[in-house]
Amino acid sequence: MSSARDTVLGRIRDALALAPTPAVVVPRDYRTGRALPDDERLALFTDRLLDYKARVHLCTADRTAEVIGEALREHGARRIGVPAGLDAHWLTGYDGEVREDHPDVSPAQLDTLDAVVTGSAAGCAETGTIFLDGSPGQGRRALSLVPDLHVCVVDLSTVAAGVPEAVARLAPERPTTLISGPSATSDIELERVEGVHGPRTLVAVIRTDA
Amino acid sequence: MSTFLGMPAPPPRSPYGTGNLRGDRAFPRAAHDELGNEQLRRNLGRATGTIRAKRLSVTGELSDWEALRDAGSAIKTDTMNRLPELLEQLERKVTERGGTVHWARDATEANAIVARLVRATGSDEVIKVKSMATQEIGLNEHLESVGITPYETDLAELIVQLADDKPSHILVPAIHRNRDEIRQIFRDHIPGVDPDLDNAPAHLAAAARGYLREKFLTTKVAVSGANFAVAETGTLAVVESEGNGRMCLTLPDTLITVMGIEKVLPRYQDLEVFLQLLPRSSTGERMNPYTSLWTGVTPGDGPQDFHLVLLDNGRTAALADALGRAALNCIRCSACLNVCPVYERTGGHAYGSTYPGPIGAVLTPQLAGMHAAKDDPNSSLPYASSLCGACFDACPVKIDIPSLLVELRHQHTEQTGVTPEKLAMKAAAAVMRRPALYAAAQKASALGRVVAGRDGTISRLPPPLSGWSDSRDTAAPPRETFRSWFSSDEGRATLRAAAAERNSDHNEEDAT
């Protein structure tokens, strides 16, 4: 008896032989390679993030620590998690407990954190999406998921105009998470509720000069 | 390496009696009962109306929406043409990155693979991401039968599971339940839930959060489906909103993903098309809150044991049908459900399959067949449509669902031998081939006006046409046929007037 693999592949080849269709060329006439000026990208990105009920803070790079500290204080975060590789300077405006993440930290331990602070890999203005890819300063996927507050620093220079331009910035081999606002559900009578299993609050700190 | 021995054989459909691709009664009977449920119709009417408006507004925002649809449709067609090489490439890439690929001919085999993999971890429970493929194969029922407890973690799937109910919509499976019913389900079935829990959606969601958090943090095995799998890189994608997907995909030690073989995409770049088409078509959002992309195993991040189960279960049978294979292009966005006047009134349960609505009426008979049993309920699905065409307009990958429904009706009448409908069609064909007889028949049909009621419709036809009239009203034939009008004095005069008008229009255009 042949393996399931050989059987299924054989069935596919039989099916294609029984119903051959002409080869197609994929038309890619949709918008790609768009470049919007900084102010337009910022306005669009901010508008979309707010539409998704994310909190948005704009700042210059030299005020990063100050703005992160304010956001954590505002939400009463007293113990936070950070990925290895996060710029230590970013936390100089915060006086609570800081735990650096590593792979042996259990999900239950992550659940004791009030908040997490991370950087980001890219953004998409048209959809209000932030991309995390696990690079230094962003951490593993569980870290930005379990705590209830996610403070995420986004450099405007990494925010692309649309989805094709943003996807082009990704590294396929890296575990990647696309975030558009906080966790949400519309499963009960289609009424949108923010905050189910993921972070209930997303604070995007957009650095306009970085 | 293949079983190809000269003449290709038609691949088998999903085996009869397994999984959830067949209801226990025909659509008209099931729909008749559902139509009596006023709550269902109110919920559905409001939900589909809301989501239709949202979808139109966000698709209208994109000036290149039609170009994206063209690209999406072509990518899927290209995928089907090159399926063997793409699946082999996907398998190679996933394996290179530390994952293990399994192949399953049908539901029984896929269920057995998943159960074996779960047992090998020593766990007797799994957390699940909402997945159409595992619903299709009846995985939960199988796992329970071998002593493994599956926990659905999507809020709507949890509601359905706790109530021992079936999903009724691809995207919002508990759309047939209102907040009061959900509160009662939670009060009855969630251990330790606040007895004073009210019906506010935010409070109900919080109750689900509290219940599932412990499961997320302690369960060692997760099962998911996949929205896309990229052959070029071996990357899998799950699109969701609540974060339950991210929890399942990243916290456990072992991840088992069950995916239909048609979900593969050739290139990583293709995600740029589908990440625009899918959220806007399904929830009417510019982007869903969370999308997870992973490639095999990443040391120090997420499950260190990853299994991908590639499922046939009738997909190759659909692929072997020249017209029907287009149904495999479906990306499960549910846009066709939300615009369908039939679905809006009957809800999803009437279709009897994991896949309801217009696409379900096409995909279900394709995967499972519609002649596997006497009076197979699936043979009623191609008729569960008014053929209004709204589903075709809404489909982000341009599946011509109405034409596929007509083709399936044709296949059904061909297969079932002598039926009143087939006799009637044969008689009509014979008459239409002979002009004199046709003209006589048209005159005779004017008699139909005599049996029509005052509103100009005939609600009950004599046998053998009563099968037709039982489920719909028939418009009375016109007083006069086009041919007889055409040859009358009045007809000639009207045509002359129209021709004169057209000529004068032309002259005006020339003058400007």
Side-chain angles (χ1 to χ4, degrees), chain A residues 5 11 14 19 21 28 30-31 51-52 111 148 172 176 178 180 183 185 187 189 192 196-197, chain B residues 4 64 81 91 97 156 179 209 213 241-242 247 270 272 285-287 289-291 293 295 312 325:
Chain A
R5 178 184 190 278
R11 286 177 183 175
D14 281 358
T21 49
R28 294 192 191 265
Y30 51 86
R31 296 171 300 163
D51 194 37
Y52 277 135
D111 201 33
D148 209 22
T176 302
L178 282 63
S180 305
S183 160
T185 185
D187 278 344
E189 297 184 23
R192 187 175 166 103
V196 195
H197 304 300
Chain B
F4 192 87
D64 57 348
N81 281 347
E91 179 185 45
R97 290 291 309 233
R179 58 187 73 190
R209 178 188 174 102
R213 180 127 301 220
S241 294
E242 296 173 5
M247 292 272 180
D270 296 331
E272 73 189 18
E285 293 173 296
R286 297 186 183 100
M287 189 66 88
Y290 297 135
T291 297
L293 302 169
T295 308
D312 178 351
R325 64 193 293 181

Side-chain angles (χ1 to χ4, degrees), chain B residues 28-347:
Chain B
R29 284 198 52 198
H32 186 267
D33 290 356
E34 299 290 329
L35 284 169
N37 183 344
E38 275 182 45
Q39 178 71 54
L40 171 85
R41 276 215 309 288
R42 255 202 311 276
N43 284 5
L44 277 175
R46 204 168 44 220
T48 56
T50 306
I51 216 163
R52 276 200 301 268
K54 280 178 73 186
R55 185 181 67 85
L56 283 178
S57 121
V58 296
T59 58
E61 274 179 15
L62 297 189
S63 59
D64 57 348
W65 181 249
E66 290 306 316
L68 286 166
R69 287 177 79 202
D70 286 334
S73 175
I75 291 168
K76 294 302 279 187
T77 305
D78 181 42
T79 298
M80 299 311 156
N81 281 347
R82 300 195 288 127
L83 203 48
E85 68 179 80
L86 294 176
L87 289 171
E88 285 175 315
Q89 189 183 15
L90 176 68
E91 179 185 45
R92 196 164 60 245
K93 290 291 173 183
V94 169
T95 308
E96 275 173 19
R97 290 291 309 233
T100 308
V101 176
H102 310 260
W103 300 70
R105 282 167 273 222
D106 53 38
T108 306
E109 192 163 35
N111 287 333
I113 291 168
V114 176
R116 174 168 59 74
L117 292 171
V118 176
R119 276 222 195 83
T121 68
S123 178
D124 59 2
E125 52 183 23
V126 300
I127 45 177
K128 283 191 69 211
V129 192
K130 176 179 169 338
S131 141
M132 303 305 290
T134 60
Q135 176 68 30
E136 172 192 324
I137 62 177
L139 179 65
N140 287 1
E141 293 87 330
H142 178 74
L143 291 178
E144 279 165 13
S145 76
V146 298
I148 297 166
T149 309
Y151 292 98
E152 292 289 352
T153 64
D154 171 77
L155 178 55
E157 289 285 0
L158 174 70
I159 294 164
V160 168
Q161 188 183 37
L162 289 176
D164 199 18
D165 195 357
K166 294 231 179 214
S168 67
H169 189 285
I170 289 176
L171 184 78
V172 269
I175 198 67
H176 56 292
R177 298 286 194 177
N178 65 31
R179 58 187 73 190
D180 291 323
E181 292 173 304
I182 294 166
R183 172 178 61 171
Q184 198 57 47
I185 291 166
F186 281 10
R187 291 213 293 210
D188 291 347
H189 297 284
I190 293 184
V193 78
D194 175 8
D196 294 328
L197 178 67
D198 65 24
N199 68 0
H203 299 156
L204 295 169
R209 178 188 174 102
Y211 170 63
L212 286 174
R213 180 127 301 220
E214 183 65 18
K215 302 278 175 235
F216 287 134
L217 299 179
T218 57
T219 308
K220 298 294 176 198
V221 188
V223 174
S224 85
N227 291 93
F228 309 105
V230 179
E232 178 185 43
T233 57
T235 306
L236 276 291
V238 163
V239 168
E240 48 123 8
S241 294
E242 296 173 5
N244 65 306
R246 292 176 66 193
M247 292 272 180
C248 293
L249 298 169
T250 59
L251 298 186
D253 300 332
T254 300
L255 171 62
I256 304 163
T257 299
V258 181
M259 181 191 105
I261 51 174
E262 82 283 14
K263 294 278 178 135
V264 66
L265 296 175
R267 311 157 206 82
Y268 194 82
Q269 190 204 350
D270 296 331
L271 290 172
E272 73 189 18
V273 175
F274 292 99
L275 288 178
Q276 295 189 77
L277 289 176
L278 180 55
R280 287 178 198 258
S281 300
S282 71
T283 54
E285 293 173 296
R286 297 186 183 100
M287 189 66 88
N288 49 292
Y290 297 135
T291 297
S292 294
L293 302 169
W294 74 99
T295 308
V297 172
T298 305
D301 186 350
Q304 297 301 296
D305 190 16
F306 170 58
H307 297 269
L308 176 63
V309 181
L310 297 172
L311 176 71
D312 178 351
N313 203 38
R315 283 161 177 77
T316 48
L319 193 66
D321 185 292
L323 285 165
R325 64 193 293 181
L328 293 176
N329 292 358
C330 173
I331 57 172
R332 316 282 191 261
C333 72
S334 73
C336 62
L337 275 63
N338 299 324
V339 298
C340 177
V342 175
Y343 175 86
E344 186 177 336
R345 285 160 182 82
T346 66

